Amino acid sequence: MATASVTAAPKPKPRERVLGAAARLFLRDGIHAVGVDRLALEANVSKRSIYQHFESKDAIVADMLREYGPRVVESYFETADALTPRDRVLHVFDALHSAAEASDFFGCPFVNVATELRDREHPAAQVAQEFKLRLTDFFEQQAVLAGASKPHVLAVQLTLLFDGASASAAMCGGTPLAAKLAAEALFDAAVSVDDAAAVDDAAAVDDAAELRQMRLKRRV
């Protein structure tokens, strides 16, 4: 009786291996602590191969965040119609709590990278800022949908709370219940029942999109 052959998974290409190694080493040990020699060894490629794919170590850090970032944030953003805006906001903090229980959680990678680089104009810092803006935008969209009178203020407050909880989790492990309770208190204080009932969802989404465009224009 013939047996079915098993096709081996294709070996990652050198560029993919370098970005994978960069995500593991940079986020665990820090950018400055990891040189190109160590990165080449971890990725099982030559230094020559690295520089054939990347102009510099700075470019590696930036591309690593672009590649790794979506995987970080995808579990935070829940947009199911069955959930209320409040539920979606609190889901972010539940997801953070789950992520923080892992042994390889070292805090928010975007904050960590930007803090270590200490240069807001660095390509990787720019990428980190964009990912943090996505989180604030998500919070603001939910705040608009819920009828908050000052949605951007609430979004910034929730982002600051998220970053503080991430830092605490990196130091102590897990996230305290107080973080989610604080998110609930902030949200409930900013959104009244009457306001929430009066908001039209479609118009609210358009308002949130317009606010984002206005902020992006201010940054140009």
Side-chain angles (χ1 to χ4, degrees):
M1 180 177 179
T3 57
S5 60
V6 178
T7 303
K11 184 178 181 180
K13 296 180 180 180
R15 186 178 186 278
E16 296 172 342
R17 298 206 299 275
V18 171
L19 291 177
R24 292 190 298 274
L25 297 179
F26 289 160
L27 299 180
R28 183 188 67 199
D29 301 335
I31 297 167
H32 297 316
V34 178
V36 176
D37 287 330
R38 185 178 173 197
L39 189 60
L41 181 64
E42 176 76 11
N44 194 25
V45 300
S46 66
K47 287 179 64 175
R48 179 181 178 183
S49 180
I50 286 181
Y51 287 116
Q52 285 176 337
H53 291 88
F54 304 95
E55 293 182 355
S56 63
K57 181 181 174 182
D58 288 344
I60 296 174
V61 181
D63 284 354
M64 178 275 292
L65 277 187
R66 291 190 188 96
E67 180 76 17
Y68 180 76
R71 285 178 279 171
V72 175
V73 301
E74 66 181 4
S75 65
Y76 292 118
F77 299 158
E78 177 56 73
T79 57
D81 292 339
L83 296 179
T84 66
R86 185 179 189 273
D87 291 336
R88 294 175 194 141
V89 166
L90 297 181
H91 172 80
V92 173
F93 291 89
D94 287 335
L96 173 61
H97 182 77
S98 297
E101 291 181 329
S103 60
D104 60 350
F105 181 82
F106 304 106
C108 175
F110 312 117
V111 172
N112 290 349
V113 167
T115 301
E116 184 174 0
L117 292 173
R118 299 183 183 181
D119 178 3
R120 294 190 183 95
E121 302 306 316
H122 189 287
Q126 293 287 320
V127 176
Q129 290 172 29
E130 286 299 321
F131 276 106
K132 294 306 298 185
L133 180 59
R134 290 189 196 183
L135 178 63
T136 304
D137 284 347
F138 179 80
F139 283 144
E140 184 167 354
Q141 185 181 51
Q142 302 314 310
V144 170
L145 287 170
S149 58
K150 297 181 179 179
H152 183 63
V153 172
L154 175 59
V156 172
Q157 290 173 329
L158 290 169
T159 302
L160 293 173
L161 177 60
F162 178 92
D163 289 341
S166 297
S168 175
M171 294 176 61
C172 308
T175 55
L177 177 61
K180 183 176 179 179
L181 293 177
E184 291 178 340
L186 283 171
F187 193 91
D188 293 342
V191 179
S192 71
V193 175
D194 291 339
D195 287 341
V199 172
D200 176 80
D201 281 358
V205 171
D206 290 340
D207 289 345
E210 184 178 350
L211 285 169
R212 172 178 170 80
Q213 291 300 319
M214 291 173 60
R215 288 205 308 280
L216 289 175
K217 288 179 180 179
R218 290 200 295 268
R219 295 180 60 191
V220 175

